[in-house]
Coordinates of all heavy atoms in Angstrom, one line a residue:
M1 N 3.5 -62.8 48.2 CA 3.1 -61.5 48.9 C 2.9 -60.3 48.0 O 2.0 -59.6 48.1 CB 4.1 -61.3 50.0 CG 3.8 -60.1 50.8 SD 2.4 -60.4 51.8 CE 2.3 -59.0 52.8
S2 N 3.9 -60.2 47.1 CA 3.8 -59.1 46.2 C 2.6 -59.3 45.2 O 2.0 -58.2 44.7 CB 5.1 -58.9 45.3 OG 5.3 -60.0 44.5
A3 N 2.2 -60.4 44.9 CA 1.0 -60.6 44.0 C -0.2 -60.2 44.8 O -1.1 -59.6 44.1 CB 0.9 -62.1 43.6
V4 N -0.3 -60.3 46.0 CA -1.5 -59.9 46.8 C -1.5 -58.4 46.8 O -2.7 -57.8 46.6 CB -1.5 -60.5 48.2 CG1 -2.6 -60.0 49.1 CG2 -1.5 -62.1 48.2
I5 N -0.4 -57.8 47.0 CA -0.4 -56.3 47.0 C -0.7 -55.8 45.7 O -1.5 -54.8 45.6 CB 1.0 -55.8 47.5 CG1 1.3 -56.2 48.9 CG2 1.2 -54.3 47.3 CD1 2.6 -55.9 49.5
T6 N -0.2 -56.4 44.6 CA -0.6 -55.9 43.3 C -2.1 -56.1 42.9 O -2.7 -55.3 42.3 CB 0.3 -56.7 42.3 OG1 1.7 -56.6 42.5 CG2 0.1 -56.2 40.8
L7 N -2.6 -57.3 43.4 CA -4.0 -57.5 43.2 C -4.9 -56.5 43.9 O -5.8 -56.0 43.4 CB -4.3 -58.9 43.6 CG -5.8 -59.4 43.4 CD1 -6.0 -59.4 41.9 CD2 -6.0 -60.7 44.0
L8 N -4.5 -56.2 45.2 CA -5.3 -55.2 45.9 C -5.1 -53.8 45.3 O -6.1 -53.1 45.2 CB -4.8 -55.1 47.4 CG -5.2 -56.4 48.3 CD1 -4.5 -56.3 49.6 CD2 -6.7 -56.5 48.4
F9 N -4.0 -53.4 44.9 CA -3.8 -52.2 44.2 C -4.6 -52.1 43.0 O -5.2 -51.0 42.6 CB -2.3 -51.9 44.0 CG -1.9 -50.6 43.4 CD1 -2.0 -49.4 44.2 CD2 -1.6 -50.4 42.0 CE1 -1.8 -48.1 43.7 CE2 -1.3 -49.2 41.5 CZ -1.4 -48.0 42.3
G10 N -4.6 -53.1 42.1 CA -5.3 -53.2 40.9 C -6.8 -53.1 41.2 O -7.5 -52.4 40.5
A11 N -7.3 -53.8 42.2 CA -8.7 -53.7 42.6 C -9.1 -52.3 43.0 O -10.2 -51.8 42.7 CB -9.0 -54.7 43.7
A12 N -8.2 -51.7 43.8 CA -8.5 -50.3 44.2 C -8.6 -49.3 43.0 O -9.4 -48.5 43.0 CB -7.4 -49.8 45.2
M13 N -7.6 -49.4 42.0 CA -7.7 -48.6 40.9 C -8.9 -48.9 40.1 O -9.5 -47.9 39.6 CB -6.4 -48.9 40.0 CG -5.2 -48.2 40.6 SD -3.7 -48.4 39.7 CE -4.2 -48.0 38.0
L14 N -9.3 -50.2 39.9 CA -10.5 -50.5 39.1 C -11.7 -49.9 39.8 O -12.6 -49.4 39.1 CB -10.6 -52.0 39.0 CG -11.8 -52.4 38.2 CD1 -11.7 -51.9 36.7 CD2 -11.9 -54.0 38.2
T15 N -11.8 -50.0 41.1 CA -12.9 -49.4 41.8 C -12.9 -47.8 41.7 O -14.0 -47.3 41.4 CB -12.8 -49.7 43.4 OG1 -12.7 -51.1 43.5 CG2 -14.0 -49.2 44.1
W16 N -11.8 -47.2 41.7 CA -11.7 -45.7 41.5 C -12.2 -45.4 40.1 O -12.9 -44.5 39.9 CB -10.4 -45.2 41.8 CG -10.2 -43.8 41.6 CD1 -9.7 -43.2 40.5 CD2 -10.9 -42.8 42.3 NE1 -10.0 -41.8 40.6 CE2 -10.6 -41.5 41.6 CE3 -11.6 -42.7 43.5 CZ2 -11.1 -40.3 42.2 CZ3 -12.0 -41.5 44.0 CH2 -11.8 -40.3 43.3
F17 N -11.7 -46.2 39.1 CA -12.1 -45.9 37.7 C -13.7 -46.0 37.5 O -14.3 -45.1 36.9 CB -11.4 -46.8 36.7 CG -9.9 -46.4 36.6 CD1 -9.0 -47.4 36.4 CD2 -9.4 -45.1 36.7 CE1 -7.7 -47.1 36.3 CE2 -8.1 -44.8 36.5 CZ -7.2 -45.8 36.3
V18 N -14.2 -47.1 38.1 CA -15.7 -47.3 38.0 C -16.4 -46.1 38.7 O -17.4 -45.5 38.1 CB -16.1 -48.7 38.5 CG1 -17.6 -48.8 38.6 CG2 -15.5 -49.7 37.6
Y19 N -16.0 -45.8 39.9 CA -16.6 -44.7 40.6 C -16.5 -43.4 39.8 O -17.5 -42.6 39.7 CB -15.9 -44.6 42.0 CG -16.3 -43.3 42.7 CD1 -17.5 -43.1 43.3 CD2 -15.4 -42.2 42.7 CE1 -17.9 -42.0 43.9 CE2 -15.8 -41.0 43.4 CZ -17.0 -40.9 44.0 OH -17.4 -39.8 44.6
D20 N -15.3 -43.1 39.3 CA -15.2 -41.8 38.6 C -16.0 -41.8 37.3 O -16.7 -40.7 37.0 CB -13.7 -41.6 38.2 CG -13.4 -40.2 37.9 OD1 -14.0 -39.3 38.5 OD2 -12.5 -40.0 37.0
T21 N -16.1 -42.8 36.6 CA -16.9 -42.9 35.4 C -18.4 -42.7 35.7 O -19.1 -42.0 35.1 CB -16.7 -44.2 34.6 OG1 -15.3 -44.4 34.4 CG2 -17.5 -44.3 33.4
V22 N -18.9 -43.4 36.7 CA -20.3 -43.3 37.1 C -20.5 -41.8 37.6 O -21.6 -41.3 37.3 CB -20.6 -44.3 38.2 CG1 -22.0 -44.0 38.8 CG2 -20.5 -45.7 37.7
R23 N -19.6 -41.3 38.3 CA -19.9 -39.9 38.8 C -19.9 -38.9 37.6 O -20.7 -37.9 37.7 CB -18.6 -39.6 39.7 CG -18.8 -38.1 40.4 CD -17.6 -37.8 41.3 NE -16.4 -37.9 40.6 CZ -15.9 -36.8 40.0 NH1 -16.5 -35.6 39.9 NH2 -14.7 -36.9 39.4
L24 N -19.1 -39.1 36.6 CA -19.1 -38.2 35.4 C -20.4 -38.4 34.5 O -20.8 -37.5 33.9 CB -17.8 -38.4 34.6 CG -16.5 -37.9 35.3 CD1 -15.3 -38.4 34.4 CD2 -16.5 -36.5 35.4
V25 N -20.8 -39.6 34.5 CA -22.0 -39.9 33.6 C -23.3 -39.5 34.2 O -24.2 -39.0 33.5 CB -21.9 -41.4 33.2 CG1 -23.2 -41.8 32.4 CG2 -20.7 -41.8 32.4
T26 N -23.5 -39.7 35.4 CA -24.8 -39.5 36.1 C -25.0 -38.0 36.3 O -24.0 -37.2 36.4 CB -24.9 -40.2 37.5 OG1 -23.8 -39.8 38.3 CG2 -24.8 -41.7 37.3
P27 N -26.3 -37.5 36.2 CA -26.5 -36.0 36.5 C -26.2 -35.8 37.9 O -26.5 -36.4 38.9 CB -28.0 -35.9 36.2 CG -28.5 -37.2 36.3 CD -27.5 -38.3 36.0
C28 N -25.5 -34.6 38.0 CA -25.1 -34.1 39.4 C -26.1 -33.2 39.9 O -26.5 -32.2 39.2 CB -23.8 -33.5 39.3 SG -23.1 -32.9 40.9
V29 N -26.6 -33.4 41.1 CA -27.6 -32.5 41.8 C -26.7 -31.8 42.9 O -26.4 -32.5 43.9 CB -28.8 -33.2 42.3 CG1 -29.7 -32.2 43.0 CG2 -29.5 -33.9 41.2
S30 N -26.6 -30.6 42.7 CA -25.7 -29.9 43.7 C -26.6 -29.5 44.8 O -27.8 -29.1 44.7 CB -25.1 -28.6 43.1 OG -24.4 -27.9 44.1
R31 N -26.1 -29.6 46.1 CA -26.9 -29.2 47.3 C -26.7 -27.7 47.5 O -27.4 -27.1 48.3 CB -26.4 -30.0 48.5 CG -26.7 -31.4 48.4 CD -26.4 -32.2 49.6 NE -26.5 -33.6 49.4 CZ -27.5 -34.2 49.9 NH1 -28.5 -33.6 50.5 NH2 -27.7 -35.5 49.7
C32 N -25.7 -27.1 47.0 CA -25.5 -25.7 47.1 C -26.2 -24.9 46.0 O -26.3 -25.3 44.8 CB -24.0 -25.3 47.0 SG -23.0 -26.2 48.2
P33 N -26.9 -23.8 46.4 CA -27.6 -23.0 45.3 C -26.5 -22.4 44.4 O -25.4 -22.1 44.8 CB -28.3 -22.0 46.1 CG -27.7 -21.9 47.4 CD -27.0 -23.2 47.7
P34 N -26.9 -22.2 43.1 CA -26.0 -21.5 42.2 C -25.6 -20.1 42.7 O -26.3 -19.5 43.5 CB -26.8 -21.4 41.0 CG -28.0 -22.3 41.1 CD -28.2 -22.5 42.6
L35 N -24.4 -19.7 42.3 CA -24.0 -18.4 42.8 C -24.9 -17.2 42.4 O -25.1 -16.2 43.1 CB -22.6 -18.1 42.2 CG -21.5 -19.0 42.9 CD1 -20.1 -18.7 42.2 CD2 -21.4 -18.8 44.4
A36 N -25.5 -17.3 41.2 CA -26.5 -16.3 40.7 C -27.6 -16.2 41.7 O -28.1 -15.0 42.0 CB -27.0 -16.6 39.3
R37 N -28.1 -17.2 42.2 CA -29.3 -17.2 43.2 C -28.8 -16.5 44.4 O -29.5 -15.7 45.1 CB -29.8 -18.6 43.4 CG -31.1 -18.6 44.2 CD -31.7 -19.9 44.5 NE -31.5 -20.9 43.5 CZ -31.6 -22.1 43.8 NH1 -31.9 -22.6 45.1 NH2 -31.5 -23.0 42.9
L38 N -27.6 -16.8 44.9 CA -27.0 -16.2 46.1 C -26.9 -14.7 45.9 O -27.2 -13.9 46.7 CB -25.8 -16.8 46.5 CG -25.8 -18.2 47.1 CD1 -24.4 -18.7 47.3 CD2 -26.6 -18.3 48.3
R39 N -26.4 -14.3 44.7 CA -26.2 -12.9 44.4 C -27.6 -12.2 44.3 O -27.8 -11.1 44.8 CB -25.5 -12.7 43.1 CG -24.0 -12.9 43.2 CD -23.3 -12.3 42.0 NE -23.6 -13.1 40.8 CZ -23.0 -14.1 40.3 NH1 -21.9 -14.6 40.9 NH2 -23.4 -14.7 39.2
G40 N -28.6 -12.9 43.8 CA -29.9 -12.3 43.7 C -30.5 -12.1 45.2 O -31.1 -11.0 45.4
R41 N -30.4 -13.0 46.0 CA -30.8 -12.9 47.3 C -30.1 -11.7 48.1 O -30.8 -10.9 48.8 CB -30.7 -14.2 48.2 CG -31.6 -15.3 47.7 CD -31.4 -16.5 48.5 NE -32.2 -17.6 48.1 CZ -32.1 -18.8 48.5 NH1 -31.2 -19.2 49.3 NH2 -32.9 -19.8 48.0
R42 N -28.8 -11.7 47.9 CA -28.0 -10.7 48.6 C -28.5 -9.3 48.1 O -28.6 -8.3 48.7 CB -26.5 -10.9 48.4 CG -25.6 -10.0 49.2 CD -24.2 -10.4 49.1 NE -24.0 -11.7 49.5 CZ -23.3 -12.6 48.8 NH1 -22.8 -12.4 47.6 NH2 -23.1 -13.9 49.2
A43 N -28.6 -9.2 46.7 CA -29.0 -7.9 46.1 C -30.4 -7.5 46.6 O -30.7 -6.3 46.9 CB -29.0 -8.0 44.6
A44 N -31.3 -8.5 46.8 CA -32.6 -8.2 47.3 C -32.6 -7.6 48.7 O -33.2 -6.7 49.1 CB -33.5 -9.4 47.1
L45 N -31.8 -8.3 49.6 CA -31.6 -7.8 50.9 C -31.0 -6.4 51.0 O -31.4 -5.6 51.8 CB -30.8 -8.8 51.7 CG -31.5 -10.2 52.0 CD1 -30.6 -11.1 52.6 CD2 -32.8 -9.9 52.8
E46 N -30.0 -6.2 50.2 CA -29.3 -4.9 50.1 C -30.4 -3.8 49.6 O -30.4 -2.7 50.2 CB -28.1 -4.9 49.2 CG -27.0 -5.7 49.8 CD -25.8 -5.8 48.8 OE1 -25.9 -5.3 47.7 OE2 -24.8 -6.4 49.2
A47 N -31.2 -4.2 48.7 CA -32.2 -3.2 48.3 C -33.2 -2.9 49.4 O -33.5 -1.6 49.6 CB -33.0 -3.8 47.0
V48 N -33.6 -3.8 50.1 CA -34.6 -3.5 51.3 C -33.8 -2.7 52.3 O -34.5 -1.8 52.9 CB -35.1 -4.9 51.9 CG1 -35.8 -4.7 53.2 CG2 -35.9 -5.7 50.8
E49 N -32.6 -3.0 52.5 CA -31.8 -2.3 53.5 C -31.6 -0.8 53.1 O -31.9 0.2 53.8 CB -30.4 -2.8 53.7 CG -29.6 -2.2 54.8 CD -28.2 -2.8 54.9 OE1 -28.0 -3.9 54.4 OE2 -27.4 -2.3 55.7
R50 N -31.4 -0.6 51.8 CA -31.3 0.8 51.3 C -32.6 1.5 51.4 O -32.7 2.7 51.7 CB -30.8 0.8 49.8 CG -29.4 0.6 49.6 CD -28.9 0.8 48.2 NE -29.6 0.1 47.2 CZ -29.3 -1.1 46.8 NH1 -28.1 -1.7 47.3 NH2 -30.0 -1.8 45.9
Q51 N -33.8 0.8 51.1 CA -35.0 1.4 51.2 C -35.4 1.8 52.6 O -35.9 2.9 52.8 CB -36.1 0.5 50.7 CG -37.5 1.0 50.8 CD -38.5 0.0 50.4 OE1 -38.3 -1.3 50.4 NE2 -39.7 0.4 50.2
S52 N -35.0 1.0 53.6 CA -35.3 1.3 55.0 C -34.4 2.4 55.4 O -34.9 3.3 56.2 CB -35.0 0.0 55.8 OG -35.2 0.3 57.1
T53 N -33.2 2.5 55.0 CA -32.3 3.6 55.3 C -32.8 5.0 54.7 O -32.8 6.0 55.4 CB -30.9 3.3 54.9 OG1 -30.5 2.1 55.5 CG2 -30.0 4.5 55.3
A54 N -33.3 4.8 53.5 CA -33.8 6.1 52.9 C -35.1 6.5 53.6 O -35.3 7.7 53.8 CB -34.2 5.8 51.4
L55 N -35.9 5.6 54.0 CA -37.1 6.0 54.8 C -36.7 6.7 56.1 O -37.3 7.7 56.6 CB -38.0 4.8 55.1 CG -38.8 4.2 53.9 CD1 -39.5 2.9 54.3 CD2 -39.7 5.2 53.3
L56 N -35.7 6.2 56.8 CA -35.2 6.7 58.0 C -34.7 8.1 57.7 O -34.9 9.1 58.5 CB -34.1 5.8 58.7 CG -33.4 6.4 59.9 CD1 -34.3 6.5 61.0 CD2 -32.2 5.5 60.2
L57 N -33.8 8.3 56.7 CA -33.2 9.6 56.4 C -34.3 10.7 56.0 O -34.0 11.8 56.3 CB -32.1 9.5 55.3 CG -30.9 8.6 55.7 CD1 -30.0 8.6 54.5 CD2 -30.2 9.4 56.8
H58 N -35.4 10.3 55.4 CA -36.4 11.2 55.1 C -37.5 11.4 56.2 O -38.5 12.1 56.0 CB -37.1 10.7 53.8 CG -36.2 10.8 52.6 ND1 -35.8 12.0 52.1 CD2 -35.6 9.9 51.8 CE1 -34.9 11.8 51.0 NE2 -34.8 10.5 50.9
G59 N -37.2 10.7 57.3 CA -38.1 10.9 58.4 C -39.4 10.2 58.3 O -40.4 10.6 59.1
R60 N -39.5 9.2 57.6 CA -40.7 8.5 57.4 C -40.9 7.3 58.4 O -42.1 6.9 58.6 CB -40.9 7.9 56.0 CG -41.0 9.1 55.0 CD -41.4 8.6 53.6 NE -41.4 9.7 52.7 CZ -41.3 9.6 51.4 NH1 -41.0 8.5 50.9 NH2 -41.3 10.7 50.6
I61 N -39.8 6.9 58.9 CA -39.9 5.9 60.0 C -39.0 6.4 61.2 O -38.1 7.2 60.9 CB -39.5 4.5 59.5 CG1 -38.0 4.4 59.0 CG2 -40.5 4.0 58.5 CD1 -37.5 3.0 58.7
T62 N -39.2 5.8 62.3 CA -38.4 6.2 63.5 C -37.1 5.3 63.5 O -37.1 4.3 62.8 CB -39.1 6.0 64.8 OG1 -39.4 4.5 64.9 CG2 -40.4 6.8 64.8
A63 N -36.2 5.7 64.3 CA -34.9 5.0 64.5 C -35.2 3.5 65.1 O -34.6 2.6 64.7 CB -34.0 5.7 65.4
A64 N -36.2 3.5 65.9 CA -36.5 2.1 66.5 C -37.1 1.2 65.4 O -36.9 0.0 65.4 CB -37.6 2.3 67.7
E65 N -37.9 1.8 64.6 CA -38.5 1.0 63.4 C -37.4 0.5 62.5 O -37.4 -0.6 62.0 CB -39.6 1.7 62.7 CG -40.2 1.1 61.5 CD -40.9 -0.2 61.9 OE1 -41.4 -0.4 63.0 OE2 -41.0 -1.1 60.9
H66 N -36.5 1.4 62.2 CA -35.4 1.1 61.3 C -34.5 -0.1 62.0 O -34.2 -1.0 61.3 CB -34.5 2.3 61.0 CG -33.2 2.1 60.2 ND1 -33.3 1.8 58.9 CD2 -32.0 2.0 60.6 CE1 -32.1 1.6 58.5 NE2 -31.2 1.7 59.5
Q67 N -34.3 0.1 63.2 CA -33.5 -1.0 63.9 C -34.2 -2.4 64.0 O -33.7 -3.4 63.7 CB -33.2 -0.6 65.3 CG -32.3 -1.5 66.1 CD -32.0 -1.0 67.4 OE1 -32.5 -0.1 68.0 NE2 -31.1 -1.7 68.1
A68 N -35.6 -2.2 64.1 CA -36.4 -3.5 64.1 C -36.3 -4.1 62.7 O -36.2 -5.3 62.6 CB -37.8 -3.2 64.4
R69 N -36.4 -3.3 61.6 CA -36.3 -3.8 60.3 C -35.0 -4.5 60.0 O -34.9 -5.6 59.4 CB -36.5 -2.7 59.3 CG -38.0 -2.2 59.2 CD -38.1 -1.1 58.1 NE -39.4 -0.6 58.1 CZ -40.0 -0.3 56.9 NH1 -39.3 -0.2 55.8 NH2 -41.3 0.1 57.0
M70 N -33.9 -3.8 60.4 CA -32.6 -4.4 60.2 C -32.4 -5.6 61.0 O -31.8 -6.7 60.5 CB -31.5 -3.3 60.6 CG -31.3 -2.1 59.8 SD -31.0 -2.6 58.0 CE -32.5 -2.2 57.2
S71 N -32.9 -5.7 62.1 CA -32.9 -6.9 63.0 C -33.6 -8.1 62.3 O -33.1 -9.2 62.3 CB -33.5 -6.7 64.4 OG -33.5 -7.9 65.1
R72 N -34.8 -7.8 61.7 CA -35.6 -8.9 61.1 C -34.8 -9.3 59.8 O -34.7 -10.5 59.5 CB -36.9 -8.4 60.6 CG -37.8 -8.2 61.8 CD -39.3 -8.0 61.3 NE -39.5 -6.8 60.5 CZ -39.9 -5.6 61.0 NH1 -40.1 -5.5 62.3 NH2 -40.0 -4.5 60.2
L73 N -34.1 -8.4 59.1 CA -33.3 -8.8 58.0 C -32.1 -9.7 58.3 O -31.8 -10.7 57.8 CB -32.8 -7.6 57.2 CG -33.8 -6.9 56.2 CD1 -33.1 -5.6 55.7 CD2 -34.2 -7.7 55.2
A74 N -31.5 -9.3 59.5 CA -30.4 -10.1 59.9 C -30.8 -11.5 60.4 O -30.0 -12.4 60.3 CB -29.7 -9.3 61.1
H75 N -32.0 -11.6 60.8 CA -32.5 -13.0 61.2 C -33.1 -13.7 60.1 O -33.7 -14.8 60.3 CB -33.4 -12.8 62.4 CG -32.7 -12.4 63.7 ND1 -32.6 -11.1 64.1 CD2 -32.1 -13.2 64.5 CE1 -32.0 -11.1 65.3 NE2 -31.6 -12.3 65.6
G76 N -33.0 -13.2 58.9 CA -33.5 -13.9 57.7 C -34.9 -13.8 57.4 O -35.4 -14.5 56.5
E77 N -35.7 -12.9 58.1 CA -37.1 -12.8 57.7 C -37.2 -11.9 56.5 O -36.6 -10.9 56.3 CB -37.8 -12.1 58.9 CG -37.8 -12.9 60.2 CD -38.5 -12.3 61.3 OE1 -39.3 -11.4 61.1 OE2 -38.2 -12.6 62.4
R78 N -38.2 -12.3 55.6 CA -38.4 -11.5 54.5 C -39.3 -10.3 54.8 O -40.2 -10.5 55.6 CB -39.1 -12.3 53.3 CG -38.2 -13.5 52.9 CD -38.8 -14.2 51.8 NE -38.4 -13.5 50.6 CZ -38.8 -13.9 49.3 NH1 -39.5 -14.9 49.2 NH2 -38.3 -13.2 48.3
P79 N -39.1 -9.2 54.2 CA -40.0 -8.1 54.5 C -41.4 -8.3 54.0 O -41.6 -9.1 53.1 CB -39.4 -6.9 53.7 CG -38.4 -7.5 52.8 CD -38.1 -8.8 53.2
P80 N -42.5 -7.9 54.7 CA -43.8 -8.1 54.3 C -44.1 -7.5 52.9 O -43.7 -6.5 52.6 CB -44.6 -7.4 55.4 CG -43.7 -6.5 56.1 CD -42.4 -6.9 55.8
G81 N -44.9 -8.3 52.2 CA -45.3 -7.8 50.9 C -44.4 -8.0 49.7 O -44.7 -7.6 48.6
T82 N -43.3 -8.8 49.9 CA -42.4 -9.0 48.9 C -42.7 -10.4 48.3 O -42.8 -11.3 49.1 CB -40.9 -8.9 49.3 OG1 -40.7 -9.8 50.3 CG2 -40.5 -7.5 49.7
T83 N -42.8 -10.5 47.0 CA -43.0 -11.8 46.4 C -41.9 -11.9 45.3 O -41.2 -10.9 45.0 CB -44.4 -12.0 45.7 OG1 -44.5 -10.9 44.8 CG2 -45.4 -11.9 46.8
R84 N -41.8 -13.1 44.7 CA -40.8 -13.3 43.7 C -41.2 -12.5 42.4 O -40.2 -11.9 41.9 CB -40.8 -14.8 43.4 CG -39.7 -15.1 42.4 CD -39.5 -16.6 42.4 NE -38.7 -17.0 43.5 CZ -37.8 -17.9 43.5 NH1 -37.6 -18.7 42.4 NH2 -37.0 -18.2 44.5
H85 N -42.4 -12.5 42.1 CA -42.8 -11.7 40.9 C -43.8 -10.7 41.2 O -44.8 -11.0 41.9 CB -43.3 -12.7 39.8 CG -42.3 -13.7 39.4 ND1 -41.3 -13.5 38.6 CD2 -42.2 -15.1 39.7 CE1 -40.5 -14.6 38.5 NE2 -41.1 -15.5 39.1
A86 N -43.7 -9.5 40.7 CA -44.6 -8.4 41.1 C -46.0 -8.7 40.4 O -47.0 -8.3 40.9 CB -44.1 -7.1 40.6
S87 N -46.0 -9.5 39.3 CA -47.2 -9.7 38.6 C -48.1 -10.7 39.4 O -49.3 -10.7 39.2 CB -47.0 -10.2 37.2 OG -46.3 -11.4 37.3
M88 N -47.6 -11.4 40.3 CA -48.3 -12.4 41.0 C -49.2 -11.7 42.0 O -50.2 -12.2 42.4 CB -47.4 -13.4 41.7 CG -46.7 -14.3 40.8 SD -45.6 -15.4 41.5 CE -46.8 -16.5 42.3
R89 N -48.9 -10.5 42.5 CA -49.6 -9.8 43.5 C -50.6 -8.8 42.9 O -51.3 -8.1 43.7 CB -48.8 -9.3 44.7 CG -47.9 -8.2 44.3 CD -47.1 -7.7 45.5 NE -46.3 -6.6 45.1 CZ -45.0 -6.5 45.1 NH1 -44.4 -7.6 45.5 NH2 -44.3 -5.5 44.8
G90 N -50.5 -8.7 41.6 CA -51.4 -7.7 41.0 C -51.0 -6.3 41.0 O -51.6 -5.4 40.5
G91 N -49.9 -6.0 41.5 CA -49.4 -4.6 41.5 C -48.2 -4.5 40.6 O -48.0 -5.2 39.6
G92 N -47.4 -3.4 40.8 CA -46.2 -3.2 39.9 C -46.4 -2.3 38.9 O -47.5 -1.6 38.8
R93 N -45.6 -2.1 38.0 CA -45.6 -1.2 36.9 C -46.7 -1.4 36.0 O -47.3 -0.5 35.4 CB -44.2 -1.2 36.2 CG -44.1 -0.2 35.1 CD -42.8 -0.2 34.4 NE -41.7 0.1 35.4 CZ -40.4 0.1 35.1 NH1 -40.1 -0.4 34.0 NH2 -39.6 0.3 36.0
H94 N -46.9 -2.6 35.5 CA -47.9 -2.9 34.5 C -49.2 -3.6 35.0 O -49.9 -4.0 34.2 CB -47.3 -3.8 33.5 CG -46.0 -3.3 32.9 ND1 -45.9 -2.2 32.1 CD2 -44.7 -3.6 33.0 CE1 -44.7 -2.0 31.7 NE2 -44.0 -2.8 32.3
G95 N -49.3 -3.6 36.3 CA -50.6 -4.3 36.8 C -51.4 -3.4 37.6 O -52.4 -3.4 38.1

């Protein structure tokens, strides 16, 4: 009986060692985005929020428009006209 238990325990350890070795050797593809990408998205959303608040404070948009913009941001919609790179849309500082 003890030989069977020892054999099962040894097989379990060998399986774990093989699994751990394969996990360490193979390239890992994370399903979670890197923290830098999350910080970049958060910073972009905060910049749009600051811009909308500045427009409201300077009287360029109404309170209803500001509330609609904040609602769209909260629901994950990107503001119109924003792209990843300014050079792609032909505008910006140097284009």
Side-chain angles (χ1 to χ4, degrees):
M1 182 68 177
S2 66
V4 173
I5 293 173
T6 304
L7 185 64
L8 290 174
F9 184 71
M13 282 182 51
L14 182 63
T15 304
W16 177 256
F17 289 144
V18 169
Y19 167 76
D20 195 36
T21 303
V22 169
R23 186 180 59 86
L24 289 173
V25 172
T26 58
C28 179
V29 178
S30 177
R31 294 181 186 265
C32 298
L35 290 177
R37 190 182 322 161
L38 288 175
R39 280 193 297 268
R41 287 181 186 169
R42 189 174 300 130
L45 290 174
E46 288 174 359
V48 172
E49 184 178 353
R50 281 193 303 271
Q51 179 186 15
S52 179
T53 304
L55 290 174
L56 174 69
L57 291 175
H58 292 291
R60 295 189 180 155
I61 61 173
T62 64
E65 176 63 24
H66 177 71
Q67 185 176 7
R69 287 178 180 216
M70 293 298 111
S71 178
R72 285 192 302 267
L73 280 177
H75 288 94
E77 295 178 23
R78 297 186 87 176
T82 58
T83 60
R84 181 169 281 214
H85 300 287
S87 62
M88 294 180 72
R89 65 175 184 250
R93 182 182 294 172
H94 303 291

